Amino acid sequence: MTFFLNSLKICALACLFWVSAVSADAKTTSHISMAEVLANIEHFYVDDIDANKLNQHAIESIFKQLDPHSEFLDQTELEALFNVANGRYTGLGIEVEQREKHIVIVAAIENSPAQTAGLTKGDILLKVNDVSVINQPIKQVSQLINQQQKPHVKLTIARNGHEQPLLFKVERKKIDLKSVKGNINSQGIAYLRIINFNNHTLYDVAKELAHLSQIVAGEINGLIIDLRDNPGGILDSAIEVSDLFLESGVIVSTKGRFAEANQEYYAQEGDVLGGAPIIVLINEGSASAAEILAGALQDNQRAQLVGTRSYGKGSVQSLIPLGDGQTALKLTTAKYYTPSGRSIEGSGILPDYPVLQHNFAHNGDFTQPQTETFINAKVHDLQLEKAWQLLEK
């Protein structure tokens, strides 16, 4: 799970939890209502029990049996999810994932408080406000950050190359998640960085491409789409953006156990670039919706991919509202497949041109050689340079 939504698909479904119990001799199986079990404990257990806490523990134990992307969302979490999907939320601006006993920062969102403070990809959270978060689940760490009454949160970080922990004071504030930015040179070669996929990404991409075309007073002659460290977002958004560059063919298909989870999504006629060549940049931080776009363009032979193997998050989560209307399940309901039938779950997408490089800042100024001081050395954006070379051919 991450602080950002990896994939969003709203479904109106009812859900009941049931627990299966197998008898000692394994000859019979009975179905026991979770609600009945909890009610009996609440009424007959020898000591007073906090019913809300008991229910919470029961729910958490169920989700531990599922994949890490499925979870119960309370009212606050559900509201935050919708805010992120709409391109705004209040927080630090970090995307994280659980790696064994550690919470690791996958990305500090551009122009966020976290990036301003100096947090970066690969940092490991050790403490939040002097409270250890080692061996703590992401959900509890998120609550620890959000329950802070003061506007600033103190984070203790372990970083590669530093023997001692680093301390950061990061402000929690409202963040507008800009999903797209671009640039273009005098030859009409455009650069488009898609930072995430939210409800506004299709509009933002189309608007940016139109703006870049106006700058050179003509057609775009080639396009570099930068999906590096893009954590994903909304499934429909990735499909819509893919459709901008495809004349026909399958964009993505999804497969699950219930009928509505089995879908194929097709491109409609009309390529916004009129067939101009496309290079897509990916790396190990390109996940979910970003992989849908990369896979769709690669399999339909519309683009060539440069960089390193993508993250490999190939599942779709659906929101299933619960009876009170204020909580929901975020449940993995399907896996998605690229047009050629590839499932990238756990394996990712391989680039056509593998190019390794050190970390650097995606600043979008691709018209000049990009460098950044990294361990006292100048590091070029080798992946972007390769993309430029391919478009020059």
Side-chain angles (χ1 to χ4, degrees):
M1 176 203 144
T2 63
F3 288 157
F4 283 99
L5 182 62
N6 281 332
S7 185
L8 174 63
K9 184 178 176 68
I10 307 297
C11 302
L13 300 175
C15 180
L16 293 176
F17 286 116
W18 294 85
V19 175
S20 295
V22 181
S23 64
D25 59 7
K27 291 182 179 179
T28 61
T29 300
S30 60
H31 297 279
I32 304 171
S33 166
M34 177 64 72
E36 181 182 358
V37 171
L38 295 177
N40 278 284
I41 293 173
E42 182 181 355
H43 284 91
F44 301 116
Y45 186 66
V46 62
D47 295 321
D48 288 336
I49 293 291
D50 184 330
N52 291 331
K53 185 176 292 186
L54 187 64
N55 275 280
Q56 184 64 35
H57 287 323
I59 290 171
E60 289 174 357
S61 68
I62 290 173
F63 279 98
K64 285 180 180 178
Q65 311 304 313
L66 307 179
D67 71 317
H69 306 297
S70 298
E71 61 177 330
F72 168 80
L73 300 177
D74 61 25
Q75 183 176 356
T76 301
E77 292 164 331
L78 187 59
E79 182 179 352
L81 184 149
F82 282 120
N83 286 337
V84 170
N86 286 319
R88 68 184 70 88
Y89 87 115
T90 298
L92 306 180
I94 55 174
E95 184 210 351
V96 303
E97 71 176 12
Q98 190 100 34
R99 297 181 186 171
E100 297 180 349
K101 64 179 181 179
H102 293 298
I103 306 295
V104 181
I105 295 178
V106 176
I109 304 304
E110 293 188 30
N111 301 317
S112 69
Q115 187 186 61
T116 301
L119 292 169
T120 188
K121 177 181 176 181
D123 285 347
I124 299 173
L125 282 177
L126 300 178
K127 295 180 181 179
V128 174
N129 297 322
D130 297 321
V131 178
S132 174
V133 295
I134 297 175
N135 277 326
Q136 295 299 314
I138 286 178
K139 197 163 193 172
Q140 290 187 16
V141 177
S142 176
Q143 291 172 349
L144 191 60
I145 291 174
N146 292 324
Q147 72 186 14
Q148 171 77 359
Q149 298 300 317
K150 297 179 181 179
H152 290 86
V153 178
K154 185 167 71 172
L155 302 179
T156 305
I157 297 293
R159 179 175 292 175
N160 188 31
H162 294 261
E163 293 184 0
Q164 300 298 321
L166 305 177
L167 298 178
F168 293 87
K169 192 176 183 181
V170 188
E171 182 182 8
R172 291 178 65 253
K173 68 177 185 179
K174 291 182 179 179
I175 301 172
D176 288 326
L177 301 173
K178 184 179 180 181
S179 65
V180 176
K181 67 177 184 178
N183 205 336
I184 195 166
N185 68 6
S186 59
Q187 287 77 46
I189 305 300
Y191 169 94
L192 190 72
R193 172 150 170 74
I194 304 178
I195 300 165
N196 56 65
F197 289 87
N198 60 44
N199 287 331
H200 307 294
T201 304
L202 173 64
Y203 171 80
D204 291 342
V205 168
K207 180 180 178 182
E208 187 64 27
L209 289 174
H211 171 66
L212 296 177
S213 180
Q214 290 176 353
I215 291 176
V216 293
E219 295 181 354
I220 294 174
N221 297 319
L223 176 64
I224 298 170
I225 302 176
D226 193 343
L227 298 177
R228 291 173 295 182
D229 295 321
N230 181 320
I234 299 174
L235 173 65
D236 287 346
S237 178
I239 293 170
E240 292 166 347
V241 173
S242 300
D243 196 11
L244 284 176
F245 307 108
L246 295 171
E247 287 281 1
S248 61
V250 175
I251 295 174
V252 69
S253 60
T254 61
K255 297 179 182 179
R257 287 200 306 123
F258 72 103
E260 292 182 15
N262 297 282
Q263 301 286 343
E264 282 191 332
Y265 299 89
Y266 292 88
Q268 303 300 311
E269 184 177 355
D271 176 354
V272 69
L273 294 184
I278 300 174
I279 302 296
V280 177
L281 299 176
I282 60 171
N283 66 4
E284 66 279 0
S286 307
S288 189
E291 293 173 295
I292 288 176
L293 174 57
L297 298 185
Q298 185 184 50
D299 281 5
N300 282 291
Q301 295 164 351
R302 182 64 186 89
Q304 295 177 305
L305 274 52
V306 172
T308 55
R309 184 193 298 266
S310 64
Y311 183 84
K313 197 271 183 180
S315 59
V316 179
Q317 284 68 51
S318 299
L319 277 187
I320 304 175
L322 298 179
D324 57 9
Q326 298 181 342
T327 59
L329 304 181
K330 180 162 76 75
L331 200 63
T332 298
T333 54
K335 291 183 178 180
Y336 69 76
Y337 297 81
T338 68
S340 65
R342 291 181 294 170
S343 170
I344 56 88
E345 178 67 26
S347 58
I349 292 177
L350 290 174
D352 300 292
Y353 296 92
V355 178
L356 293 171
Q357 68 181 19
H358 294 294
N359 291 333
F360 69 99
H362 308 289
N363 58 30
D365 182 17
F366 73 100
T367 58
Q368 302 294 330
Q370 294 188 24
T371 61
E372 179 184 357
T373 300
F374 184 77
I375 316 180
N376 300 322
K378 291 292 184 179
V379 179
H380 289 271
D381 186 346
L382 301 177
Q383 295 169 344
L384 189 52
E385 289 177 359
K386 179 64 177 179
W388 174 250
Q389 290 169 6
L390 291 170
L391 287 177
E392 281 186 321
K393 292 181 178 180

